[in-house]
Amino acid sequence: MFFHKKKLQYLSKPDRPDPVFARQLQEVLGGQFGEISVAMQYLFQGWNVRGNGKYKDLLMDTGTEELAHIEMLATMIARLLEGAPVGDLEKAAQDPVIGAILGGMNVQHTIVSGLGAMPVDSMGNKWNAGYIAASGNLLADFRANLNAESQGRLQVVRLYESTNDRGVKDMLSWLIARDTMHQNQWIAAIKELEAKENVVVPSTFPKELEKQEVSYVLFNFSEGEKSATGRWASGTSMDGLGTFQYVQQPEAYGGKPNLNPAPFYIHNTLPKNLRPSSHTLPPSHM
């Protein structure tokens, strides 16, 4: 059960309207790593936990908080859109200042949402449920959460640096701080699960069923050999179950593929037409 309080978690009021920045702020609302994504990700992960306990509680705590962040951003975007050009836009655009605003704002903020936020990113792309990860494996999911919070905090910090509006900076500062906490909490949860399960996901797959001879091998598949100097190229593997190796010149173990012709009714190019031509073109003359 959810219960909505008619108060914001934190103040969301800009010093002045700014329709252009309202568009930019849409990225951390409806973008791939925005608040809608993390809210849905944590909630679905929590709902999918088959049992109760501290991990489910943590997911539900954080997912519900992210709903509050959606409301904060939606409120800020609506307030930034106050005073946005409406009406005869062609005539308004004759004013250089208004023209600059029109060139940088998302006109759907006036046409579609009535000067309100939308579930879209800064380019107007609709939010996509494919952004979220909820696999049922908590170690895999918590790592996805850490990535989402890392990318999200990076984007909020970039937005903080791109505005001089004190009210906007104040709200973004709150979100940055909460992302600091969320990164730390997912790291803590990851370390707990790694101590119980080891570091490779999933830990339940029988080791003897994988090709163990290549489980800890780094293949040199790019020019140069600088990757050989990393921790991942020698010494004990991170899961403690093997030894890293570096292969400078990898072999091809599979041989050359040779596919049989498709049945005639598929109407692929005939095999005879795939063979090299028996004649060559005459040389060109200048």
Side-chain angles (χ1 to χ4, degrees):
M1 182 178 73
F2 288 88
F3 186 88
H4 177 249
K5 289 277 189 180
K6 295 183 174 65
K7 293 182 179 180
L8 298 175
Q9 187 187 27
Y10 189 74
L11 184 67
S12 296
K13 188 172 183 180
D15 290 344
R16 58 192 176 279
D18 187 344
V20 176
F21 198 77
R23 172 182 176 177
Q24 297 176 34
L25 210 54
Q26 283 283 164
E27 190 64 37
V28 292
L29 175 63
Q32 181 179 0
F33 301 107
E35 299 291 354
I36 298 176
S37 292
V38 289
M40 291 296 98
Q41 181 156 306
Y42 303 160
L43 290 174
F44 271 95
Q45 288 176 6
W47 291 325
N48 290 348
V49 171
R50 295 182 177 272
N52 295 307
K54 63 182 179 181
Y55 296 127
K56 181 166 186 170
D57 203 27
L58 177 64
L59 285 163
M60 299 307 297
D61 284 341
T62 315
T64 305
E65 180 184 3
E66 302 295 7
L67 294 177
H69 294 173
I70 295 172
E71 185 176 25
M72 287 168 55
L73 283 165
T75 302
M76 179 64 80
I77 288 170
R79 287 171 168 168
L80 286 167
L81 288 168
E82 291 176 1
V86 294
D88 191 343
L89 299 184
E90 183 176 347
K91 183 176 180 180
Q94 295 174 7
D95 182 321
V97 175
I98 299 298
I101 292 174
L102 288 173
M105 71 177 290
N106 184 347
V107 295
Q108 287 194 334
H109 275 150
T110 61
I111 300 169
V112 176
S113 65
L115 305 182
M118 298 182 292
V120 302
D121 65 16
S122 56
M123 298 303 291
N125 301 307
K126 297 183 185 300
W127 181 80
N128 188 332
Y131 294 155
I132 72 172
S135 69
N137 184 296
L138 288 179
L139 182 52
D141 285 349
F142 290 168
R143 287 174 173 169
N145 296 351
L146 177 58
N147 176 63
E149 292 287 349
S150 301
Q151 297 289 345
R153 188 174 189 274
L154 176 61
Q155 293 181 355
V156 175
V157 165
R158 287 171 173 168
L159 285 167
Y160 182 94
E161 299 284 9
S162 65
T163 182
N164 58 10
D165 187 300
R166 293 171 300 175
V168 173
K169 279 182 174 288
D170 187 50
M171 184 202 71
L172 294 179
S173 181
W174 171 275
L175 295 178
I176 291 167
R178 296 309 297 152
D179 287 347
T180 296
M181 173 56 195
H182 294 162
Q183 286 190 45
N184 274 276
Q185 75 184 41
W186 298 131
I187 292 170
I190 288 166
K191 288 186 178 297
E192 275 196 5
L193 287 175
E194 286 179 347
K196 298 175 182 179
E197 302 180 11
N198 213 324
V199 300
V200 175
V201 176
S203 60
T204 50
F205 187 76
K207 193 72 174 172
E208 64 272 14
L209 297 183
E210 66 177 89
K211 298 289 184 182
Q212 295 183 62
E213 60 269 29
V214 294
S215 293
Y216 303 102
V217 177
L218 175 64
F219 293 117
N220 178 33
F221 279 127
S222 63
E223 187 176 6
E225 298 179 23
K226 292 183 179 179
S227 60
T229 64
R231 170 66 180 85
W232 49 81
S234 63
T236 303
S237 60
M238 307 317 294
D239 60 10
L241 301 178
T243 301
F244 287 131
Q245 302 173 52
Y246 178 81
V247 175
Q248 181 181 0
Q249 295 179 320
E251 298 180 47
Y253 294 102
K256 187 175 181 179
N258 186 20
L259 302 181
N260 293 324
F264 179 77
Y265 59 81
I266 298 297
H267 298 285
N268 280 6
T269 301
L270 294 174
K272 66 178 182 179
N273 294 334
L274 294 173
R275 291 192 287 269
S277 178
S278 59
H279 65 276
T280 58
L281 295 174
S284 59
H285 297 282
M286 298 299 291

